[in-house]
Amino acid sequence: MKMILLDRVTKTYQRNPHAALERISLHVDPKEFVIVVGSSGAGKSTLLKLLTREEKPTAGKIIVGGIDYDKLRDREIPLLRRKIGVVFQDFKLLPGKTVFENVAFALEIVGMSNREINHTVPRVLDIVGLQGKEKRMPMELSGGERQRVAIARAVVRQPKILIADEPTGNLDPKHAWDVIRVLEKINRYGTTVLLTTHNQDIVNRLKRRVITVKDGKIVSDRANAEYKL
Ligand code: ADP
């Protein structure tokens, strides 16, 4: 089974005649680590939004984690969201909550007991290297630490896929690499990772599969690829 399958997917937005994505086909295996690159406006965000079901395709087939999006009902979308964790460039943490509470929140909303939450949150904070920082507020953390809180929150329900959309965009190189190492660790634990980045150094040193999107099309898809602007 493929973890992600797109078959000739086209996305055209309203009031924009130019297709954001045009007949894109893509297969991603379970446990793969895939980097998506492309200049601004190429279609990367649209691709990610189709996967999270924030947007629906105009044409084509999408199957993620065995879920055929054509058969997906609205009430099943929360189930899909549990299979896909997402982190963003701007972290999107709850500023009035501690590190622990930010991560715990993702479990509270699915009805997990306090006992289980108290057991689970420290384990995931440990994985992202934030043990001992449970009581800090987001403002009291570095950007790299904030992003690692966001990653902890995204993976605490053990999604099959982690989508990281420019997670290092606001970080200096040292903190960027801390975040990338955490993504690699989560991938080693068995989660499929989809990363978008403009950071050439990260792409070149990770030596992973690189998919290049340009003008709504996949123009290259290579293993161990380097990235030239
Ligand atoms: P990227 O993430 O690579 O910068 P996007 O997926 O955001 O690219 O955009 C791809 C194309 O789709 C661009 O031409 C953009 O202007 C257009 N686009 C994106 N979102 C919308 C929208 N909501 N409505 C109309 N056009 C959009």
Side-chain angles (χ1 to χ4, degrees), residues 13-16 18-21 38-47 49 55 213:
Y13 289 103
Q14 273 183 349
R15 293 183 298 280
N16 184 349
H18 192 73
L21 289 177
S39 53
S40 181
K44 304 179 299 296
S45 304
T46 300
L47 173 62
K49 284 178 187 159
E55 294 287 350
V213 182

Side-chain angles (χ1 to χ4, degrees), residues 128-145:
V128 302
L130 290 174
Q131 61 282 11
K133 306 218 160 144
E134 291 83 354
K135 296 204 170 86
R136 297 272 193 98
M137 302 302 282
M139 262 184 56
E140 300 167 339
L141 300 173
S142 71
E145 288 171 332

Side-chain angles (χ1 to χ4, degrees), residues 33-37 167-168 176-177 179-185 187-188 193-197 199-210 223-227:
F33 190 121
V34 181
I35 309 172
V36 179
V37 302
T168 63
W177 276 104
V179 164
I180 295 295
R181 293 303 174 217
V182 168
L183 295 180
E184 289 197 292
K185 191 170 178 182
N187 177 246
R188 277 200 302 281
V193 173
L194 211 66
L195 165 71
T196 75
T197 181
N199 187 317
Q200 207 168 331
D201 181 51
I202 288 174
V203 176
N204 292 343
R205 283 166 62 189
L206 275 178
K207 301 203 180 348
R208 300 283 188 161
R209 177 178 174 192
V210 177
N224 300 324
E226 300 225 334
Y227 174 39

Side-chain angles (χ1 to χ4, degrees), residues 99-100 102-104 106-107 116-131 134 148-159 182 185-186 189:
V99 167
F100 184 97
N102 263 279
V103 179
L107 299 175
E116 252 182 300
I117 290 174
N118 290 333
H119 175 72
T120 307
V121 173
R123 279 180 37 219
V124 72
L125 287 175
D126 204 41
I127 290 170
V128 302
L130 290 174
Q131 61 282 11
E134 291 83 354
R148 286 184 281 135
V149 177
I151 294 171
R153 182 182 58 186
V155 301
V156 71
R157 292 185 306 209
Q158 300 187 287
V182 168
K185 191 170 178 182
I186 285 163
Y189 288 166

Side-chain angles (χ1 to χ4, degrees), residues 23-204:
R23 287 173 74 84
I24 293 249
S25 293
L26 173 65
H27 293 179
V28 176
D29 282 324
K31 303 181 186 187
E32 263 198 274
F33 190 121
V34 181
I35 309 172
V36 179
V37 302
S39 53
S40 181
K44 304 179 299 296
S45 304
T46 300
L47 173 62
L48 301 184
K49 284 178 187 159
L50 290 173
L51 296 175
T52 56
R53 203 57 171 174
E54 267 175 81
E55 294 287 350
K56 292 184 178 178
T58 313
K61 194 152 206 60
I62 302 177
I63 302 176
V64 175
I67 300 177
D68 182 340
Y69 283 18
D70 287 335
K71 299 186 181 133
L72 191 69
R73 296 176 190 183
D74 282 347
R75 64 180 162 80
E76 293 167 324
I77 288 178
L79 204 73
L80 175 74
R81 296 270 153 82
R82 270 187 238 181
K83 288 198 177 217
I84 306 178
V86 187
V87 297
F88 307 93
Q89 178 167 352
D90 58 357
F91 322 132
K92 299 198 196 296
L93 298 177
L94 298 164
K97 287 187 186 281
T98 66
V99 167
F100 184 97
E101 289 163 351
N102 263 279
V103 179
F105 189 63
L107 299 175
E108 284 163 15
I109 58 176
V110 295
M112 193 183 264
S113 70
N114 281 339
R115 203 192 123 133
E116 252 182 300
I117 290 174
N118 290 333
H119 175 72
T120 307
V121 173
R123 279 180 37 219
V124 72
L125 287 175
D126 204 41
I127 290 170
V128 302
L130 290 174
Q131 61 282 11
K133 306 218 160 144
E134 291 83 354
K135 296 204 170 86
R136 297 272 193 98
M137 302 302 282
M139 262 184 56
E140 300 167 339
L141 300 173
S142 71
E145 288 171 332
R146 286 181 209 178
Q147 190 58 288
R148 286 184 281 135
V149 177
I151 294 171
R153 182 182 58 186
V155 301
V156 71
R157 292 185 306 209
Q158 300 187 287
K160 301 266 183 253
I161 303 171
L162 177 61
I163 291 178
D165 190 7
E166 283 279 345
T168 63
N170 284 335
L171 305 178
D172 61 45
K174 151 91 177 66
H175 286 116
W177 276 104
D178 288 345
V179 164
I180 295 295
R181 293 303 174 217
V182 168
L183 295 180
E184 289 197 292
K185 191 170 178 182
I186 285 163
N187 177 246
R188 277 200 302 281
Y189 288 166
T191 305
T192 306
V193 173
L194 211 66
L195 165 71
T196 75
T197 181
H198 283 110
N199 187 317
Q200 207 168 331
D201 181 51
I202 288 174
V203 176
N204 292 343

